[in-house]
């Protein structure tokens, strides 16, 4: 397949995909490598990495095994990033598709709504949602998705504006197809490549937003997320910096992997590069 060959021809994309597979493998093997609740107390607090064979990455301020939290946190991080991205892209694609296809008053109303969401920074709007609706993990995921859709809506709208007057759309109208089938069966598949690429950006941002909330103790404390581990290490950052540094590196690797995969998809799906041998 040509797209796959173009993707694999990019060293950055291959590295990113390999790193992403490592994170997925950690999430899949968490129960086998570290059975039980990773939030349970495991030993003496604040043991440095590699000083106790039982805790290769040390323990945090509450005596929890950092390695166990890292493995189980990979599952939480991927779930948060994936679910929030799905919510954001669903809203964004629906709004952008309707605005770009219909134009006129529909476009004006939907774009003003999009601009209203973009007036405030994402994180500030996210704080408002958390303050109003609470900080359980389902609410955090929904809130991240709700504040992250405007850019994908604008991108989808731009694609629809360029495609809605093409010959295959005119032919579908002549054949009597209704608007919704034209939008979702004819135009949307042709508009998806850049939107799919942008989804990697949304996922990376979603992971960072949840980590920022957890660092401020505003995320769900009952889940073993990397952000929560960073937050618990904030009080001992000057002396036991490893408590925050280890999950910080895990977040960095995951965000880098998602970004590199997105870059590879952009190279593979970019129409200007499809003629490349």
């Amino acid at each position: 397949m040509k797209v796959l060959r173009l993707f694999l021809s990019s060293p950055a994309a291959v590295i990113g995909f390999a790193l992403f597979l490592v994170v997925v493998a950690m999430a899949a093997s968490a129960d086998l490598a570290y059975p039980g609740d990773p939030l349970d107390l495991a030993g003496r607090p604040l043991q440095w990495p590699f000083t106790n064979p039982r805790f290769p990455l040390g323990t945090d301020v509450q005596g929890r095994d950092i390695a166990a939290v890292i493995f189980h946190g990979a599952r939480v991080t991927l779930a948060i990033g994936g679910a929030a991205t799905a919510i954001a892209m669903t809203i964004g694609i629906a709004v952008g598709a309707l605005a770009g296809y219909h134009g006129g008053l529909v476009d004006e109303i939907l774009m003003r709504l999009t601009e209203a969401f973009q007036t405030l920074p994402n994180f500030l709007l996210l704080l408002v949602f958390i303050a109003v609706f609470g900080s359980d993990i389902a609410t955090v995921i929904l809130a991240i998705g709700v504040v992250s859709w405007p850019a994908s809506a604008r991108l989808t709208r731009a694609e629809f504006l360029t495609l809605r007057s093409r010959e295959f759309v005119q032919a579908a109208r002549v054949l009597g197809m209704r608007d919704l089938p034209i939008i979702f069966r004819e135009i949307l598949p042709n508009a998806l490549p850049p939107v799919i690429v942008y989804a990697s950006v949304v996922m990376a941002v979603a992971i960072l937003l949840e980590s920022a909330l957890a660092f401020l103790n505003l995320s769900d404390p009952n889940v073993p997320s990397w952000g929560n581990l960073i937050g618990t290490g904030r009080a001992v950052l000057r002396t036991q910096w490893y408590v925050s540094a280890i999950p910080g590196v895990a977040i960095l690797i995951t965000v880098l992997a998602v970004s590199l995969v997105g870059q590879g998809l952009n190279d593979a799906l970019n129409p200007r590069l499809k003629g490349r041998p």
Side-chain angles (χ1 to χ4, degrees):
M1 186 177 177
K2 192 172 183 180
V3 172
L4 179 61
R5 181 167 58 85
L6 289 174
F7 180 83
L8 295 177
S9 67
S10 170
V14 173
I15 293 172
F17 188 65
L19 291 174
F20 187 74
L21 287 181
V22 170
V23 178
V24 172
M26 290 171 56
S29 63
D31 289 330
L32 295 176
Y34 296 95
D37 189 350
L39 299 180
D40 288 342
L41 301 185
R44 180 170 53 85
L46 298 177
Q47 298 183 53
W48 278 78
F50 311 116
T51 59
N52 187 334
R54 289 182 55 202
F55 312 115
L57 297 181
T59 58
D60 67 1
V61 294
Q62 299 178 11
R64 296 176 297 193
D65 187 354
I66 291 179
V69 178
I70 291 296
F71 270 71
H72 285 268
R75 183 179 302 171
V76 174
T77 296
L78 292 177
I80 291 172
T85 299
I87 293 171
M89 299 309 293
T90 299
I91 298 173
I93 289 173
V95 171
L98 292 174
Y101 179 79
H102 290 288
L105 182 60
V106 173
D107 183 28
E108 186 73 17
I109 293 173
L110 292 178
M111 284 302 99
R112 296 297 80 77
L113 175 65
T114 303
E115 290 173 0
F117 269 84
Q118 290 183 308
T119 302
L120 294 174
N122 277 7
F123 190 65
L124 185 58
L125 189 57
L126 181 60
L127 292 178
V128 174
F129 272 97
I130 297 302
V132 173
F133 298 106
S135 60
D136 62 279
I137 193 63
T139 302
V140 169
I141 292 173
L142 180 62
I144 292 174
V146 168
V147 304
S148 302
W149 64 267
S152 60
R154 287 189 171 278
L155 179 59
T156 304
R157 172 181 177 269
E159 292 295 316
F160 266 70
L161 288 175
T162 62
L163 292 171
R164 67 180 183 179
S165 58
R166 296 286 181 86
E167 290 80 1
F168 67 92
V169 177
Q170 301 296 333
R173 287 173 177 155
V174 170
L175 292 174
M177 289 184 66
R178 296 181 179 274
D179 287 343
L180 286 181
I182 293 177
I183 291 174
F184 291 105
R185 293 181 189 176
E186 302 296 329
I187 303 179
L188 185 58
N190 293 282
L192 275 182
V195 178
I196 291 174
V197 172
Y198 185 73
S200 64
V201 177
V202 176
M203 184 173 183
V205 172
I207 293 172
L208 292 174
L209 287 175
E210 190 278 332
S211 301
L213 284 176
F215 182 77
L216 297 175
N217 294 324
L218 295 175
S219 187
D220 193 338
N222 299 313
V223 296
S225 75
W226 294 341
N228 280 332
L229 186 55
I230 292 176
T232 61
R234 182 178 53 180
V236 293
L237 191 58
R238 292 188 177 182
T239 53
Q240 279 80 24
W241 51 266
Y242 67 90
V243 178
S244 294
I246 292 173
V249 171
I251 292 172
L252 173 64
I253 291 173
T254 304
V255 171
L256 177 63
V258 172
S259 299
L260 291 177
V261 169
Q263 177 183 330
L265 287 174
N266 183 56
D267 293 342
L269 297 174
N270 193 324
R272 292 174 299 176
L273 301 177
K274 287 187 177 180
R276 191 173 60 184

